[in-house]
Amino acid sequence: MKTDVPFVSVCKKCIIPKPARSHHCGICKTCILKMDHHCPWLNNCVGHFNHRYFFSFCLFLTLGCMYCSVSGRHLFIDAYNTIDEVSQPPYTYKDRMFHKSVIYMWVLTSTVSVALGALTLWHALLITRGETSIERHINGKEAKRLAKRGRVYRNPFSYGKLNNWKVFFGVEKRSHWLTRVLLPSGHAPYGDGLTWDIYPLKKDMMPV
């Protein structure tokens, strides 16, 4: 079938043109533009159109859990000491449930802060490098292959640390750091996900 969509290969499973940075998801049974990974918690793939929402969700959920963990540490210590006492005063059932709920809340938020915080930092590193999780694996293998030949591999989709973040968030002017990054925004991602500028054709993707 003739198509105007630029592609670099043909998917062996979908039997359709495969644009650059796209990959086939065996769970979704389709090719995903700029695929990062398939998230079992979202029951969906993280790719070109929702990668920014996924990262913002992880970031703000981590910050929220950290806030609950830090601000509730005194309540946790008091509740833990109260339950741990040998000679406990006659607490009511409501008091005991409150203390156990505080302990559960603090343990849960602290655990999520560490686990999800590590995941968020990992994705922040990938965004800084202009990579996805899949591309990190592919680029690592390619770098080792070229290193054996005495050559250095450079990611063609990396436009510099700051520009990678601007492209990821769709920042086109200074006010967008507030309206599109810190505040909720439904703006479309940069580009159509089918074609990508190759470094260094555009050294400054979005001059801000």
Side-chain angles (χ1 to χ4, degrees), residues 135-199:
E135 290 173 348
R136 176 61 176 167
H137 176 70
I138 297 175
N139 293 344
K141 293 175 61 177
E142 189 68 13
K144 291 180 180 179
R145 186 182 69 85
L146 293 179
K148 294 180 180 179
R149 301 181 179 181
R151 303 172 62 184
V152 178
Y153 175 78
R154 171 172 286 181
N155 179 19
F157 304 112
S158 177
Y159 313 113
K161 296 180 180 179
L162 181 58
N163 277 325
N164 288 335
W165 282 98
K166 290 191 290 186
V167 170
F168 179 79
F169 283 115
V171 175
E172 299 176 358
K173 53 185 180 180
R174 295 184 185 276
S175 61
H176 286 169
W177 290 108
L178 174 64
T179 59
R180 291 189 174 185
V181 179
L182 296 180
L183 299 178
S185 175
H187 67 280
Y190 177 81
D192 56 6
L194 298 174
T195 59
W196 298 91
D197 294 307
I198 304 299
Y199 179 88

Side-chain angles (χ1 to χ4, degrees), residues 6-19:
F7 62 96
V8 295
S9 63
V10 175
C11 180
K12 297 179 180 179
K13 297 182 179 180
C14 294
I15 317 298
I16 60 174
K18 191 176 181 181

Side-chain angles (χ1 to χ4, degrees), residues 74-84 99-100 102-103:
H74 295 299
L75 289 174
F76 166 75
I77 294 174
D78 294 339
Y80 182 81
N81 292 334
T82 299
I83 294 180
D84 194 48
H99 293 149
K100 291 181 180 179
V102 169
I103 295 175

Side-chain angles (χ1 to χ4, degrees), residues 23-188:
H23 297 277
H24 183 87
C25 177
I27 300 177
C28 295
K29 306 298 182 183
T30 186
C31 286
I32 307 298
L33 296 177
K34 192 193 170 188
M35 180 177 175
D36 186 88
H37 68 286
H38 183 91
C39 182
W41 311 110
L42 301 179
N43 192 28
N44 195 9
C45 276
V46 176
H48 176 66
F49 292 102
N50 62 350
H51 195 182
R52 173 170 54 88
Y53 297 107
F54 173 80
F55 178 78
S56 297
F57 169 76
C58 292
L59 176 62
F60 290 118
L61 182 59
T62 299
L63 294 177
C65 289
M66 291 176 61
Y67 173 79
C68 293
S69 179
V70 173
S71 62
R73 67 187 184 280
H74 295 299
L75 289 174
F76 166 75
I77 294 174
D78 294 339
Y80 182 81
N81 292 334
T82 299
I83 294 180
D84 194 48
E85 290 179 357
V86 179
S87 56
Q88 295 184 0
Y91 289 112
T92 63
Y93 175 79
K94 183 178 180 179
D95 293 333
R96 291 195 299 271
M97 290 302 299
F98 173 77
H99 293 149
K100 291 181 180 179
S101 298
V102 169
I103 295 175
Y104 174 77
M105 180 274 296
W106 191 87
V107 172
L108 179 63
T109 54
S110 300
T111 303
V112 172
S113 298
V114 175
L116 192 59
L119 177 65
T120 304
L121 289 177
W122 168 248
H123 278 278
L125 178 62
L126 293 178
I127 296 170
T128 303
R129 294 178 175 178
E131 298 176 321
T132 63
S133 299
I134 296 177
E135 290 173 348
R136 176 61 176 167
H137 176 70
I138 297 175
N139 293 344
K141 293 175 61 177
E142 189 68 13
K144 291 180 180 179
R145 186 182 69 85
L146 293 179
K148 294 180 180 179
R149 301 181 179 181
R151 303 172 62 184
V152 178
Y153 175 78
R154 171 172 286 181
N155 179 19
F157 304 112
S158 177
Y159 313 113
K161 296 180 180 179
L162 181 58
N163 277 325
N164 288 335
W165 282 98
K166 290 191 290 186
V167 170
F168 179 79
F169 283 115
V171 175
E172 299 176 358
K173 53 185 180 180
R174 295 184 185 276
S175 61
H176 286 169
W177 290 108
L178 174 64
T179 59
R180 291 189 174 185
V181 179
L182 296 180
L183 299 178
S185 175
H187 67 280

